[in-house]
Amino acid sequence: MQAELLNGMSDLSAAEWDRLACPEAGRPIDPFTTHRFLSALDRSHSTGKGTGWLPRPLILRDTDPVAALPLYVKSHSQGEYIFDHGWAEALERSGGQYYPKLQAAVPFTPASGRRFLGDPNLRGTLLDAAIGLVEQNKISSLHITFCTEDEAESLAGKHGLLHRITQQFHWENRGYAAFDDFLADLSSRKRKMIRKERETARASGLMMRNLTGEQIEPAHWDAFWRFYQDTGSRKWGTPYLTRAFFDEVQATMRDDVLLVMAFRGETPVAGALNFIGRDTLYGRYWGCVEDHPCLHFELCYYQAIDWAISHGLSRVEAGAQGEHKLARGYLPMPVHSLHYIADPAFRRAVERYLVEERRAVGEEIEVLTAYGPFRHVSSEG
Protein backbone atom coordinates (compact mmCIF):
# COMPACT_ATOMS: atom_id res chain seq x y z
CA MET A 1 0.00 0.00 0.00
CA GLN A 2 1.43 3.36 -1.02
CA ALA A 3 0.23 6.87 -0.18
CA GLU A 4 0.47 9.41 -2.98
CA LEU A 5 -0.14 13.16 -2.94
CA LEU A 6 -1.54 14.43 -6.25
CA ASN A 7 -1.19 17.91 -7.73
CA GLY A 8 -4.89 18.19 -8.52
CA MET A 9 -7.89 16.27 -9.77
CA SER A 10 -6.45 16.07 -13.28
CA ASP A 11 -3.81 13.63 -11.99
CA LEU A 12 -6.47 10.92 -11.67
CA SER A 13 -9.11 9.89 -14.19
CA ALA A 14 -12.78 10.42 -13.47
CA ALA A 15 -13.34 6.66 -13.54
CA GLU A 16 -10.59 6.01 -10.97
CA TRP A 17 -11.74 8.77 -8.60
CA ASP A 18 -15.48 8.11 -8.88
CA ARG A 19 -14.98 4.41 -8.24
CA LEU A 20 -13.97 5.55 -4.74
CA ALA A 21 -16.16 8.65 -4.31
CA CYS A 22 -19.46 7.28 -5.63
CA PRO A 23 -19.33 3.50 -6.06
CA GLU A 24 -23.12 3.29 -5.89
CA ALA A 25 -24.91 2.77 -9.21
CA GLY A 26 -26.96 5.64 -10.61
CA ARG A 27 -27.06 9.12 -9.14
CA PRO A 28 -24.32 9.70 -6.54
CA ILE A 29 -25.33 10.00 -2.92
CA ASP A 30 -23.14 13.09 -2.74
CA PRO A 31 -22.53 15.19 -5.89
CA PHE A 32 -19.79 17.26 -4.25
CA THR A 33 -17.05 14.65 -3.98
CA THR A 34 -17.46 13.51 -7.59
CA HIS A 35 -14.55 14.04 -9.97
CA ARG A 36 -16.67 16.38 -12.12
CA PHE A 37 -17.45 18.75 -9.22
CA LEU A 38 -13.95 18.93 -7.77
CA SER A 39 -12.45 19.19 -11.26
CA ALA A 40 -14.81 22.06 -12.09
CA LEU A 41 -13.36 23.95 -9.13
CA ASP A 42 -9.80 23.26 -10.30
CA ARG A 43 -10.33 23.96 -14.00
CA SER A 44 -12.21 27.20 -13.33
CA HIS A 45 -9.42 28.44 -11.01
CA SER A 46 -11.89 28.71 -8.15
CA THR A 47 -9.33 26.56 -6.35
CA GLY A 48 -5.60 26.47 -7.02
CA LYS A 49 -2.69 28.87 -6.84
CA GLY A 50 -3.60 32.24 -5.37
CA THR A 51 -6.99 31.17 -3.97
CA GLY A 52 -5.86 29.82 -0.60
CA TRP A 53 -7.21 26.40 -1.61
CA LEU A 54 -4.32 24.41 -3.11
CA PRO A 55 -5.63 20.98 -4.16
CA ARG A 56 -3.49 18.08 -3.03
CA PRO A 57 -5.72 14.97 -3.19
CA LEU A 58 -4.32 12.12 -1.11
CA ILE A 59 -4.76 8.59 -2.43
CA LEU A 60 -3.76 5.10 -1.35
CA ARG A 61 -2.65 2.72 -4.08
CA ASP A 62 -2.54 -1.03 -4.13
CA THR A 63 -1.60 -0.95 -7.82
CA ASP A 64 -4.94 0.82 -8.44
CA PRO A 65 -6.30 3.58 -6.16
CA VAL A 66 -8.21 2.03 -3.26
CA ALA A 67 -8.91 5.05 -1.02
CA ALA A 68 -8.77 8.84 -1.27
CA LEU A 69 -9.09 12.02 0.74
CA PRO A 70 -10.03 15.35 -0.96
CA LEU A 71 -7.20 17.32 0.63
CA TYR A 72 -6.22 20.99 0.34
CA VAL A 73 -3.40 23.15 1.65
CA LYS A 74 -5.07 26.23 3.13
CA SER A 75 -3.49 29.64 3.72
CA HIS A 76 -6.64 31.10 5.35
CA SER A 77 -9.95 29.94 6.82
CA GLN A 78 -12.31 31.33 4.19
CA GLY A 79 -15.00 29.24 2.52
CA GLU A 80 -15.04 26.44 5.12
CA TYR A 81 -18.15 27.14 7.28
CA ILE A 82 -16.66 25.32 10.28
CA PHE A 83 -15.15 28.38 11.84
CA ASP A 84 -11.67 28.22 13.37
CA HIS A 85 -10.62 31.87 13.08
CA GLY A 86 -10.47 32.11 16.88
CA TRP A 87 -8.15 29.12 17.04
CA ALA A 88 -5.84 30.74 14.50
CA GLU A 89 -5.75 34.01 16.44
CA ALA A 90 -5.08 32.22 19.74
CA LEU A 91 -2.17 30.18 18.36
CA GLU A 92 -0.59 33.16 16.64
CA ARG A 93 -0.96 35.35 19.76
CA SER A 94 1.02 32.73 21.65
CA GLY A 95 3.81 32.79 19.06
CA GLY A 96 2.72 29.87 16.88
CA GLN A 97 1.88 29.74 13.17
CA TYR A 98 -1.55 28.42 12.21
CA TYR A 99 -1.27 28.69 8.43
CA PRO A 100 -0.73 26.81 6.25
CA LYS A 101 -3.00 24.00 7.44
CA LEU A 102 -4.41 20.89 5.77
CA GLN A 103 -8.13 20.69 5.06
CA ALA A 104 -10.04 17.57 3.96
CA ALA A 105 -13.19 19.16 2.60
CA VAL A 106 -15.25 20.23 -0.37
CA PRO A 107 -14.40 23.92 -0.94
CA PHE A 108 -17.15 26.50 -0.35
CA THR A 109 -19.69 23.73 0.36
CA PRO A 110 -21.20 23.28 3.84
CA ALA A 111 -22.75 19.90 3.01
CA SER A 112 -22.02 16.77 4.99
CA GLY A 113 -20.78 13.72 3.12
CA ARG A 114 -18.09 11.09 2.93
CA ARG A 115 -14.56 12.44 3.16
CA PHE A 116 -12.74 9.11 3.47
CA LEU A 117 -13.47 7.75 0.02
CA GLY A 118 -13.13 4.11 -0.95
CA ASP A 119 -12.72 1.13 1.37
CA PRO A 120 -13.99 2.13 4.87
CA ASN A 121 -11.42 -0.24 6.38
CA LEU A 122 -8.69 2.08 5.09
CA ARG A 123 -9.87 5.19 6.91
CA GLY A 124 -7.20 4.74 9.57
CA THR A 125 -4.49 4.30 6.94
CA LEU A 126 -5.60 7.47 5.14
CA LEU A 127 -5.62 9.32 8.44
CA ASP A 128 -2.12 8.07 9.26
CA ALA A 129 -0.88 9.35 5.90
CA ALA A 130 -2.52 12.76 6.33
CA ILE A 131 -1.16 13.23 9.84
CA GLY A 132 2.23 12.13 8.55
CA LEU A 133 2.08 15.06 6.11
CA VAL A 134 1.33 17.42 9.00
CA GLU A 135 4.27 16.17 11.04
CA GLN A 136 6.77 15.92 8.17
CA ASN A 137 6.02 19.43 6.93
CA LYS A 138 5.63 21.00 10.40
CA ILE A 139 2.08 22.12 9.60
CA SER A 140 -0.12 23.27 12.47
CA SER A 141 -3.18 21.13 11.92
CA LEU A 142 -5.44 18.88 9.86
CA HIS A 143 -9.18 19.56 9.61
CA ILE A 144 -11.75 17.10 8.22
CA THR A 145 -14.92 19.12 7.89
CA PHE A 146 -18.52 18.10 7.18
CA CYS A 147 -17.64 14.43 7.43
CA THR A 148 -20.29 11.81 8.18
CA GLU A 149 -21.27 10.94 11.73
CA ASP A 150 -19.95 7.42 11.15
CA GLU A 151 -16.55 8.76 10.07
CA ALA A 152 -16.40 11.09 13.06
CA GLU A 153 -17.32 8.42 15.59
CA SER A 154 -14.99 5.80 14.12
CA LEU A 155 -11.93 8.10 14.05
CA ALA A 156 -12.37 10.46 17.02
CA GLY A 157 -9.52 9.97 19.49
CA LYS A 158 -7.12 8.35 17.04
CA HIS A 159 -3.84 10.30 17.11
CA GLY A 160 -5.63 12.71 19.45
CA LEU A 161 -8.16 13.59 16.74
CA LEU A 162 -10.78 15.97 18.18
CA HIS A 163 -14.48 15.64 17.39
CA ARG A 164 -16.39 18.87 16.83
CA ILE A 165 -20.19 19.13 16.58
CA THR A 166 -21.91 22.19 15.15
CA GLN A 167 -25.38 22.52 13.63
CA GLN A 168 -27.35 23.27 10.50
CA PHE A 169 -31.04 23.41 9.63
CA HIS A 170 -32.40 20.61 7.42
CA TRP A 171 -35.88 19.85 6.13
CA GLU A 172 -36.94 16.20 6.30
CA ASN A 173 -39.62 14.53 4.23
CA ARG A 174 -41.98 12.69 6.56
CA GLY A 175 -43.64 10.77 3.76
CA TYR A 176 -45.42 13.78 2.25
CA ALA A 177 -47.17 13.33 -1.10
CA ALA A 178 -47.62 17.07 -1.66
CA PHE A 179 -46.64 20.44 -0.19
CA ASP A 180 -50.06 20.70 1.47
CA ASP A 181 -49.28 17.51 3.42
CA PHE A 182 -46.20 19.24 4.79
CA LEU A 183 -48.29 22.29 5.72
CA ALA A 184 -50.79 20.07 7.50
CA ASP A 185 -47.97 18.86 9.76
CA LEU A 186 -47.29 22.40 11.01
CA SER A 187 -48.91 24.39 13.76
CA SER A 188 -51.76 26.58 12.57
CA ARG A 189 -49.77 29.79 13.04
CA LYS A 190 -46.78 28.57 11.04
CA ARG A 191 -49.03 27.11 8.33
CA LYS A 192 -50.73 30.47 7.87
CA MET A 193 -47.38 32.28 7.84
CA ILE A 194 -45.99 30.09 5.05
CA ARG A 195 -49.13 30.40 2.97
CA LYS A 196 -49.00 34.17 3.36
CA GLU A 197 -45.30 34.30 2.40
CA ARG A 198 -45.93 32.23 -0.72
CA GLU A 199 -48.86 34.44 -1.70
CA THR A 200 -46.71 37.54 -1.15
CA ALA A 201 -43.95 36.13 -3.39
CA ARG A 202 -46.47 35.30 -6.13
CA ALA A 203 -47.92 38.81 -5.89
CA SER A 204 -44.67 40.08 -7.41
CA GLY A 205 -46.00 38.93 -10.77
CA LEU A 206 -42.84 36.93 -11.44
CA MET A 207 -42.92 33.50 -13.07
CA MET A 208 -41.13 30.77 -11.09
CA ARG A 209 -39.45 28.01 -13.08
CA ASN A 210 -37.51 24.92 -12.02
CA LEU A 211 -34.76 24.07 -14.50
CA THR A 212 -32.54 21.01 -14.66
CA GLY A 213 -30.58 19.04 -17.25
CA GLU A 214 -31.24 20.09 -20.83
CA GLN A 215 -33.64 22.81 -19.64
CA ILE A 216 -30.65 24.84 -18.43
CA GLU A 217 -29.12 27.07 -21.08
CA PRO A 218 -25.89 29.12 -21.03
CA ALA A 219 -27.92 32.33 -20.76
CA HIS A 220 -29.31 31.14 -17.45
CA TRP A 221 -25.77 31.03 -16.06
CA ASP A 222 -25.11 34.57 -17.32
CA ALA A 223 -28.07 35.67 -15.23
CA PHE A 224 -27.15 33.56 -12.24
CA TRP A 225 -23.60 34.96 -12.25
CA ARG A 226 -25.08 38.42 -11.76
CA PHE A 227 -27.19 37.14 -8.86
CA TYR A 228 -24.22 35.36 -7.30
CA GLN A 229 -21.97 38.40 -7.54
CA ASP A 230 -24.58 40.58 -5.86
CA THR A 231 -25.01 38.20 -2.93
CA GLY A 232 -21.28 37.52 -2.63
CA SER A 233 -20.30 41.17 -2.59
CA ARG A 234 -22.80 41.84 0.21
CA LYS A 235 -21.99 38.79 2.34
CA TRP A 236 -18.31 38.00 2.05
CA GLY A 237 -16.71 40.64 -0.16
CA THR A 238 -15.28 38.70 -3.08
CA PRO A 239 -17.29 35.73 -4.44
CA TYR A 240 -15.44 32.45 -4.05
CA LEU A 241 -16.39 30.94 -7.41
CA THR A 242 -15.23 32.26 -10.77
CA ARG A 243 -17.51 32.79 -13.75
CA ALA A 244 -15.81 29.83 -15.45
CA PHE A 245 -17.06 27.49 -12.72
CA PHE A 246 -20.64 27.88 -13.93
CA ASP A 247 -19.54 27.10 -17.49
CA GLU A 248 -17.95 23.91 -16.20
CA VAL A 249 -21.18 23.00 -14.41
CA GLN A 250 -23.15 23.63 -17.61
CA ALA A 251 -20.80 21.33 -19.53
CA THR A 252 -20.50 18.46 -17.05
CA MET A 253 -23.11 18.74 -14.26
CA ARG A 254 -26.42 19.98 -15.67
CA ASP A 255 -28.12 16.77 -14.59
CA ASP A 256 -26.83 17.32 -11.03
CA VAL A 257 -28.31 20.82 -10.81
CA LEU A 258 -31.70 22.35 -10.07
CA LEU A 259 -31.91 26.06 -10.89
CA VAL A 260 -34.97 27.73 -9.40
CA MET A 261 -35.40 31.02 -11.24
CA ALA A 262 -37.86 33.90 -11.19
CA PHE A 263 -38.58 35.62 -14.50
CA ARG A 264 -40.11 38.94 -15.40
CA GLY A 265 -41.36 38.04 -18.83
CA GLU A 266 -38.37 36.30 -20.41
CA THR A 267 -35.80 38.03 -18.19
CA PRO A 268 -34.43 36.20 -15.12
CA VAL A 269 -34.39 38.50 -12.09
CA ALA A 270 -33.63 36.08 -9.23
CA GLY A 271 -32.48 32.53 -8.77
CA ALA A 272 -31.36 29.79 -6.40
CA LEU A 273 -28.82 27.10 -7.26
CA ASN A 274 -29.29 23.60 -5.85
CA PHE A 275 -27.34 20.40 -6.37
CA ILE A 276 -29.16 17.08 -6.51
CA GLY A 277 -28.02 14.06 -4.52
CA ARG A 278 -29.62 10.64 -4.47
CA ASP A 279 -31.78 11.40 -1.42
CA THR A 280 -31.03 15.07 -0.73
CA LEU A 281 -31.44 18.43 -2.43
CA TYR A 282 -28.59 20.75 -1.46
CA GLY A 283 -29.31 24.48 -1.57
CA ARG A 284 -26.15 26.44 -2.32
CA TYR A 285 -26.44 30.00 -3.65
CA TRP A 286 -29.12 32.58 -4.21
CA GLY A 287 -29.24 36.12 -5.57
CA CYS A 288 -31.41 38.70 -7.29
CA VAL A 289 -31.37 41.93 -9.25
CA GLU A 290 -34.87 42.92 -8.09
CA ASP A 291 -35.98 42.95 -4.46
CA HIS A 292 -39.42 41.49 -3.69
CA PRO A 293 -40.89 40.56 -0.30
CA CYS A 294 -40.60 36.84 0.54
CA LEU A 295 -38.99 35.98 -2.82
CA HIS A 296 -35.93 34.59 -1.04
CA PHE A 297 -38.09 32.27 1.07
CA GLU A 298 -40.03 31.10 -1.98
CA LEU A 299 -37.05 30.34 -4.22
CA CYS A 300 -34.68 28.94 -1.63
CA TYR A 301 -36.97 27.09 0.78
CA TYR A 302 -40.50 26.48 -0.46
CA GLN A 303 -39.69 25.66 -4.08
CA ALA A 304 -36.94 23.33 -2.82
CA ILE A 305 -39.34 21.53 -0.49
CA ASP A 306 -41.97 21.28 -3.23
CA TRP A 307 -39.44 19.84 -5.70
CA ALA A 308 -38.04 17.38 -3.15
CA ILE A 309 -41.51 16.07 -2.33
CA SER A 310 -42.49 15.65 -5.98
CA HIS A 311 -39.21 13.81 -6.73
CA GLY A 312 -39.27 11.57 -3.67
CA LEU A 313 -36.22 13.04 -1.93
CA SER A 314 -35.93 12.60 1.81
CA ARG A 315 -34.14 15.82 2.75
CA VAL A 316 -33.36 19.42 1.83
CA GLU A 317 -30.16 20.95 3.19
CA ALA A 318 -30.37 24.69 2.75
CA GLY A 319 -26.76 25.61 3.56
CA ALA A 320 -25.08 27.09 6.60
CA GLN A 321 -26.59 28.94 9.56
CA GLY A 322 -29.95 30.71 9.60
CA GLU A 323 -32.32 30.24 12.56
CA HIS A 324 -35.02 31.87 10.40
CA LYS A 325 -35.22 28.48 8.65
CA LEU A 326 -36.71 26.93 11.80
CA ALA A 327 -40.10 28.59 11.33
CA ARG A 328 -40.16 27.30 7.73
CA GLY A 329 -39.85 23.63 8.54
CA TYR A 330 -36.07 23.23 8.76
CA LEU A 331 -34.98 21.65 12.04
CA PRO A 332 -31.52 21.80 13.69
CA MET A 333 -29.25 18.85 12.95
CA PRO A 334 -25.75 18.06 14.23
CA VAL A 335 -22.83 18.52 11.84
CA HIS A 336 -19.54 16.70 12.41
CA SER A 337 -15.88 17.52 11.87
CA LEU A 338 -12.55 16.16 13.02
CA HIS A 339 -9.45 18.16 13.94
CA TYR A 340 -5.84 17.20 14.53
CA ILE A 341 -3.76 19.86 16.30
CA ALA A 342 -0.03 19.18 16.18
CA ASP A 343 0.99 21.23 19.24
CA PRO A 344 0.03 19.18 22.35
CA ALA A 345 -0.62 22.17 24.62
CA PHE A 346 -2.75 23.92 22.04
CA ARG A 347 -4.58 20.64 21.32
CA ARG A 348 -5.54 20.36 25.01
CA ALA A 349 -6.87 23.93 24.99
CA VAL A 350 -8.97 23.29 21.87
CA GLU A 351 -10.22 20.01 23.35
CA ARG A 352 -11.48 21.79 26.47
CA TYR A 353 -13.28 24.31 24.29
CA LEU A 354 -14.89 21.58 22.17
CA VAL A 355 -16.22 19.73 25.23
CA GLU A 356 -18.14 22.87 26.24
CA GLU A 357 -19.17 23.64 22.66
CA ARG A 358 -20.62 20.13 22.14
CA ARG A 359 -22.64 20.49 25.33
CA ALA A 360 -23.96 23.91 24.31
CA VAL A 361 -24.80 22.78 20.76
CA GLY A 362 -26.63 19.71 22.09
CA GLU A 363 -28.72 21.86 24.41
CA GLU A 364 -29.47 24.37 21.63
CA ILE A 365 -30.59 21.64 19.22
CA GLU A 366 -32.88 20.24 21.92
CA VAL A 367 -34.43 23.63 22.71
CA LEU A 368 -34.85 24.71 19.08
CA THR A 369 -36.41 21.38 18.13
CA ALA A 370 -38.93 21.75 20.95
CA TYR A 371 -39.83 25.22 19.64
CA GLY A 372 -40.02 24.01 16.06
CA PRO A 373 -42.96 24.71 13.72
CA PHE A 374 -44.57 21.27 13.83
CA ARG A 375 -47.86 20.85 15.62
CA HIS A 376 -47.98 19.04 18.94
CA VAL A 377 -50.55 16.28 18.73
CA SER A 378 -51.33 16.46 22.44
CA SER A 379 -52.39 20.12 22.22
CA GLU A 380 -53.79 20.39 18.69
CA GLY A 381 -55.24 16.96 18.19
Side-chain angles (χ1 to χ4, degrees):
M1 193 80 65
Q2 290 184 327
E4 181 180 350
L5 202 60
L6 306 182
N7 290 315
M9 293 303 297
S10 61
D11 282 0
L12 208 63
S13 71
E16 289 177 306
W17 181 269
D18 287 345
R19 191 161 51 244
L20 307 176
C22 46
E24 60 275 359
R27 185 181 293 281
I29 292 173
D30 175 6
F32 300 116
T33 53
T34 61
H35 191 277
R36 55 188 177 273
F37 184 85
L38 296 174
S39 292
L41 293 171
D42 285 3
R43 288 195 300 264
S44 67
H45 303 292
S46 299
T47 53
K49 187 176 180 180
T51 68
W53 287 86
L54 191 64
R56 289 293 182 265
L58 176 64
I59 64 168
L60 297 180
R61 283 189 183 274
D62 186 3
T63 305
D64 294 323
V66 291
L69 195 65
L71 195 63
Y72 295 82
V73 179
K74 290 296 307 294
S75 59
H76 54 61
S77 291
Q78 306 297 322
E80 297 170 12
Y81 302 96
I82 300 292
F83 302 111
D84 63 347
H85 301 83
W87 302 0
E89 292 172 5
L91 183 60
E92 290 171 2
R93 278 200 307 269
S94 65
Q97 183 175 329
Y98 197 72
Y99 305 106
K101 62 178 181 175
L102 290 183
Q103 191 92 15
V106 176
F108 325 122
T109 306
S112 295
R114 295 169 293 197
R115 297 294 176 260
F116 292 83
L117 310 178
D119 187 347
N121 295 317
L122 295 175
R123 289 174 181 171
T125 309
L126 268 176
L127 179 63
D128 291 345
I131 289 179
L133 290 170
V134 171
E135 302 294 350
Q136 293 160 20
N137 294 280
K138 295 182 170 49
I139 295 173
S140 72
S141 51
L142 165 70
H143 307 267
I144 303 156
T145 46
F146 292 97
C147 60
T148 66
E149 181 178 7
D150 179 59
E151 288 173 330
E153 291 183 347
S154 68
L155 293 173
K158 295 184 184 298
H159 297 290
L161 206 60
L162 305 178
H163 183 192
R164 188 175 192 181
I165 298 178
T166 51
Q167 70 167 8
Q168 282 185 339
F169 291 87
H170 299 169
W171 177 87
E172 293 193 335
N173 189 343
R174 302 182 179 188
Y176 306 126
F179 194 89
D180 281 346
D181 296 336
F182 159 61
L183 290 180
D185 221 5
L186 303 178
S187 68
S188 175
R189 186 165 62 90
K190 292 297 189 291
R191 185 162 57 245
K192 290 176 181 176
M193 180 200 76
I194 290 176
R195 282 178 174 152
K196 184 175 181 180
E197 287 182 344
R198 300 203 78 180
E199 289 170 1
T200 300
R202 286 193 290 268
S204 65
L206 302 176
M207 176 67 69
M208 318 294 177
R209 293 176 61 193
N210 294 327
L211 306 171
T212 189
E214 294 300 319
Q215 299 168 323
I216 303 175
E217 300 174 359
H220 295 136
W221 294 115
D222 291 334
F224 191 80
W225 173 246
R226 295 194 298 273
F227 309 153
Y228 173 69
Q229 282 187 303
D230 177 72
T231 300
S233 63
R234 285 187 285 108
K235 283 193 172 182
W236 57 83
T238 302
Y240 297 132
L241 300 172
T242 66
R243 175 64 182 85
F245 172 79
F246 299 102
D247 292 333
E248 294 286 344
V249 169
Q250 171 70 5
T252 64
M253 297 194 71
R254 278 175 292 174
D255 291 337
D256 300 301
V257 162
L258 171 69
L259 265 181
V260 181
M261 303 194 84
F263 291 79
R264 181 170 300 287
E266 295 299 317
T267 303
V269 298
L273 171 61
N274 306 266
F275 284 85
I276 307 167
R278 172 168 292 188
D279 299 312
T280 304
L281 186 66
Y282 299 93
R284 289 304 303 113
Y285 300 104
W286 126 277
C288 64
V289 292
E290 290 185 10
D291 291 321
H292 295 278
C294 300
L295 186 60
H296 171 257
F297 298 146
E298 176 64 22
L299 295 188
C300 294
Y301 306 145
Y302 304 141
Q303 288 284 333
I305 289 172
D306 218 341
W307 197 89
I309 291 172
S310 65
H311 288 78
L313 301 187
S314 61
R315 183 180 299 105
V316 177
E317 295 189 16
Q321 304 171 314
E323 289 190 6
H324 61 279
K325 297 169 185 171
L326 182 68
R328 293 162 182 89
Y330 292 73
L331 294 180
M333 298 292 174
V335 172
H336 302 271
S337 59
L338 293 164
H339 306 268
Y340 173 75
I341 308 295
D343 181 86
F346 189 52
R347 183 191 312 159
R348 288 192 293 271
V350 172
E351 184 175 20
R352 288 194 296 270
Y353 168 78
L354 291 182
V355 168
E356 291 303 311
E357 185 185 50
R358 284 196 299 271
R359 180 190 59 77
V361 168
E363 291 176 357
E364 185 175 17
I365 288 176
E366 184 176 351
V367 169
L368 289 175
T369 300
Y371 281 95
F374 293 94
R375 61 190 178 93
H376 301 286
V377 174
S378 59
S379 62
E380 294 194 15

